[in-house]
Amino acid sequence: MRIHLVNPSDVSFGTAVITPRWLYVLAAATPRAYGDPVIIDETLEPIDLDRVSAGDVVGIGIHTSNALRGYEIGREARRRGAFVVFGGIHPTLYPEESRELGAAHAVVKGDGDLVWPAVLDDCRSGKPLATYEGGRVSGDRFTPARWDLLPADRYMWGSVQTLRGCPKHCSFCSVWRTDGQQPRQRAADAVIHEVVELRRLGFRFILLSDDNFYPVTLGDLRLAERQGNSARLAELKAIRAERFELMRMLAKLPADLVFYTQITMEAAEDPEFLKAMNQARIRGALVGVESVTPEGLKAVFKDFNCAGENLVTRLKEFRKHGVHILGSFIFGLPTDKPETFRATAELAQKSDIAFAQFVMLTPFPGTVDFAKWEEKMADDPTRIGGVPLTRYWLIPSHQRPRVYSPHPLLSADDIRAGTQSTWDRFYSVPAIWERARIVKSLKGRLLFLLISKLYRQMYANTGIATDSARVTRSRNWARLLLRPCRKLFVTTPMPELEIPV
Ligand code: B12
Ligand code: SF4
């Protein structure tokens, strides 16, 4: 019985940017008695289904965007007599769908770290259960990934998770509902072990693949103090102390390591935290800016963010501490106006952020936005290929609409065109060149230009464009740029690197 773990994708680039962490966590959770699993990441190359035999187990991990491809693989694997098991955020929310469309024998809901061996044992005895409850594994029981199984020369960045869950409650995000609002944080040394292992292999760039690297704000501490809630205060202080411990230990690792994470902009109010990030060489972070207006922020339950000039000041604070920001903005909010696109691009340029992504509001399952939208759409008769819009992920990607919620002022085309033009403006050569002044050397600036263009090709055009020639062109460009780019990110392996004391 061979175990196959598959990360489905419609597009394969030969080289990929970030290691899909779940593959290597589940590989580590696979008992050694079953041998090393066959790991297939379709962002590198498509699965060869001829390698799947009757009685094998095929574990498929999907999120909403790649569910359709995952189902195709599931059906084909089952036809060949394999046991098909689905897991990941999408099956956690829609287990029945994986059974009906993906031919799943079993679905794992929640975290796979601890339940996976039981799934495999049941498959071996020919009796997998329909559903396994993986639950929310506590921070001290996360399974460290098996990086020894990484293929050589394929990825640019490693990925290490330091916590799961987020205390906020943004309306467009499912994390706080599926992963919980209580941060489940790993001890610093468990994280360090994995980072060292990746550096031994030659990885210099590491994504700390957390939802929110700053789970306790100064405001949370003040509130607990004001309420005289000493138990809560002690708990928050312990979480915060562990963060600092992690950053202190990261700072002791080889100087060529660079980390990147996701964080709320509240961290900009906390100079001590920013200083520790800088010392730990956390050089970049994705910040969910979402909207540049107070009304927009209110609409997505994110009023803890700043708008207008305050936003500029806050974002600049990261830069002052050497943390470069990838700002993430959403278009299509009910409060957006025709001038929002230009205003956002200007503010993004003014805020000294290094990169930006402009996404169109998408109701993801499991979110507050999705629940409201689904209710509103209950009587909508629209079907594409027989699929209702509220199950848009089942529509083949080239037919899938890009905008879902009707807007009071803007048509779907206005939103799509406005989003595309904001990408165009932000990633025009003169605008990139101006931002490239964060790098001192000419070579560094040229590299910044190249990476900006690559980022744009991989994310912007493929997500927004409806014209298939443009999509194909972008993918070909990305394919061409990825291989040489990889060499810029990885370095000489350090097999002898020790874990710092
Ligand atoms: C890191 C990350 C990224 C990285 C991915 C890098 C990489 N190569 O892995 C980047 C930045 C590229 C990214 C991009 C996007 N992401 Co993202 N991302 C995350 C994040 C923060 C962590 C994922 C992670 O690595 N977790 C660590 C692993 C170990 O956990 P895991 O994947 O959940 O797997 C566990 C279980 O789910 C389960 N499991 C998973 N698969 C399987 C399979 C089997 C067989 C079994 C048994 C169990 C199992 O076991 C695992 C171990 O416990 C999650 C948030 C989150 N909390 O999940 C969002 C998240 C997955 N992303 C999300 C989104 C929306 C996106 C984008 C669409 C954003 C955008 N607008 O562009 C793109 C999609 C890109 C693409 N086409 O795939 C959403 C997905 C929502 C949904 N319903 O699908 C999430 C949940 C965040 C959110 N705000 O809601 N993302
Ligand atoms: S968008 Fe970010 S801050 Fe908001 S709930 Fe999700 S992870 Fe937390």
Side-chain angles (χ1 to χ4, degrees), residues 61-139:
I62 50 171
H63 46 86
T64 300
S65 315
N66 66 354
L68 201 55
R69 171 67 186 148
Y71 296 154
E72 198 179 331
I73 298 170
R75 290 193 301 270
E76 199 46 44
R78 186 155 181 161
R79 206 175 62 74
R80 286 161 196 255
F83 289 105
V84 174
V85 185
F86 274 85
I89 179 156
H90 194 78
T92 298
L93 295 165
Y94 294 101
E96 283 315 315
E97 198 179 275
S98 294
R99 277 187 265 276
E100 282 162 23
L101 302 177
H105 290 86
V107 173
V108 172
K109 293 170 76 177
D111 296 340
D113 308 46
L114 304 181
V115 82
W116 183 233
V119 180
L120 295 178
D121 291 349
D122 291 350
C123 288
R124 187 176 47 187
S125 48
K127 291 194 191 91
L129 303 178
T131 307
Y132 293 83
E133 296 290 343
R136 291 176 187 162
V137 170
S138 61

Side-chain angles (χ1 to χ4, degrees), residues 393-418:
W393 53 90
L394 302 178
I395 303 171
S397 58
H398 62 280
Q399 287 174 287
R400 218 174 278 172
R402 301 289 189 260
V403 178
Y404 298 96
S405 310
H407 193 277
L409 287 179
L410 305 165
S411 71
D413 240 18
D414 292 339
I415 298 173
R416 205 189 47 72

Side-chain angles (χ1 to χ4, degrees), residues 18 20 22 61 63-64 87-88 111-113 161 173-174 179 211 262 364:
I18 307 167
W22 79 266
H63 46 86
T64 300
D111 296 340
D113 308 46
Q161 197 170 31
C173 174
S174 56
D179 280 339
D211 306 306
Q262 311 200 91
F364 276 107

